[in-house]
Amino acid sequence: AQKITQTQPGMFVQEKEAVTLDCTYDTSDPSYGLFWYKQPSSGEMIFLIYQGSYDQQNATEGRYSLNFQKARKSANLVISASQLGDSAMYFCAMRERVLIDYKLSFGAGTTVTVRA
Amino acid sequence: NAGVTQTPKFRVLKTGQSMTLLCAQDMNHEYMYWYRQDPGMGLRLIHYSVGEGTTAKGEVPDGYNVSRLKKQNFLLGLESAAPSQTSVYFCASEQAVNQPQHFGDGTRLSIL
């Protein structure tokens, strides 16, 4: 079963508009963490935002915010005021405990293209 | 501050050849990971290490071996390269499980 599901392979957004990237997850671990990473065309993985399963408030980091709906197992990334530099692949990831270790599982990613 | 450094950045191998990818981190992180990234599949965990001298299998370990003789280094070996191992390989490290992983810039490996 897929641990992380990103249903949007690609999205287009107009510059200065907001965009929401969907992410749903599946885990039985009550203490898990959710991450979003950005991968521009240059290939590096850039950490954007983190949400712990026990965090009461949605995480925010500058123009990035995480819409965390625990009951729905959803952790959508919202990018506000999109910029051309936001064009990239975005990955949702979940950290959960598996036996004695913690594993990070990635979704397949969503490609965002920002139009001028 | 170098962070996580992967060597080499690009490599082309012939089927059956062997090679070692090197990952070095200067952040004194305990945990280190090797992933492969293939189109449409995100990142998949190959092997990982929770400390010097320890290694464990991830999601797709077959055909790979690893070693962590020094805390700062994590080596990924391909004993007999196969075309199915053509991929982009990422190394990552982290200090704690609720902290983000720091990634290297990746190694693009092609097996002919």
Side-chain angles (χ1 to χ4, degrees):
Chain A
Q2 286 277 29
K3 289 287 186 180
I4 294 285
T5 301
Q6 295 181 253
T7 58
Q8 307 150 310
M11 297 186 70
F12 292 93
V13 59
Q14 205 65 29
E15 196 177 11
K16 300 182 183 178
E17 291 185 350
V19 61
T20 298
L21 308 183
D22 295 341
C23 173
T24 57
Y25 58 91
D26 182 31
T27 182
S28 56
D29 181 7
S31 178
Y32 55 90
L34 297 158
F35 300 81
W36 277 92
Y37 286 87
K38 172 184 179 182
Q39 187 178 41
S41 58
S42 50
E44 71 269 31
M45 295 287 286
I46 302 168
F47 164 71
L48 295 178
I49 197 166
Y50 167 79
Q51 179 85 41
S53 60
Y54 294 120
D55 293 343
Q56 295 296 314
Q57 293 188 325
N58 287 341
T60 61
E61 289 287 347
R63 295 187 297 110
Y64 304 107
S65 60
L66 201 153
N67 184 1
F68 182 45
Q69 298 187 42
K70 194 170 182 177
R72 298 180 58 187
K73 294 189 174 180
S74 167
N76 298 340
L77 177 71
V78 180
I79 306 174
S80 62
S82 296
Q83 302 172 355
L84 295 178
D86 293 334
S87 293
M89 177 82 87
Y90 290 81
F91 291 98
C92 179
M94 177 182 65
R95 166 64 53 71
E96 62 176 339
R97 183 158 192 157
V98 178
L99 299 178
I100 61 171
D101 290 326
Y102 289 86
K103 300 286 180 61
L104 190 65
S105 300
F106 286 82
T110 296
T111 300
V112 173
T113 303
V114 181
R115 291 170 165 162
Chain B
N1 186 3
V4 179
T5 303
Q6 290 184 231
T7 309
K9 296 190 185 304
F10 304 95
R11 187 72 182 267
V12 178
L13 290 178
K14 293 182 179 178
T15 298
Q17 286 185 318
S18 64
M19 80 161 295
T20 300
L21 306 184
L22 171 62
C23 176
Q25 53 97 359
D26 61 2
M27 297 170 284
N28 203 35
H29 287 171
E30 290 292 338
Y31 305 92
M32 296 188 74
Y33 305 82
W34 275 107
Y35 296 91
R36 60 177 289 173
Q37 184 179 22
D38 301 295
M41 300 189 72
L43 276 72
R44 292 183 293 167
L45 182 64
I46 304 171
H47 285 281
Y48 65 100
S49 169
V50 299
E52 181 179 322
T54 74
T55 63
K57 294 181 179 180
E59 181 184 356
V60 288
D62 293 343
Y64 305 95
N65 57 75
V66 289
S67 65
R68 183 110 181 259
L69 299 179
K70 294 182 179 181
K71 186 177 184 179
Q72 64 268 33
N73 295 337
F74 195 29
L75 279 63
L76 177 71
L78 287 73
E79 292 183 345
S80 180
S84 61
Q85 294 177 305
T86 293
S87 188
V88 180
Y89 291 85
F90 284 95
C91 176
S93 71
E94 67 185 8
Q95 181 56 35
V97 295
N98 62 347
Q99 297 294 315
Q101 292 188 357
H102 297 257
F103 284 83
D105 289 340
T107 295
R108 189 171 296 275
L109 185 60
S110 294
I111 316 295
L112 304 178

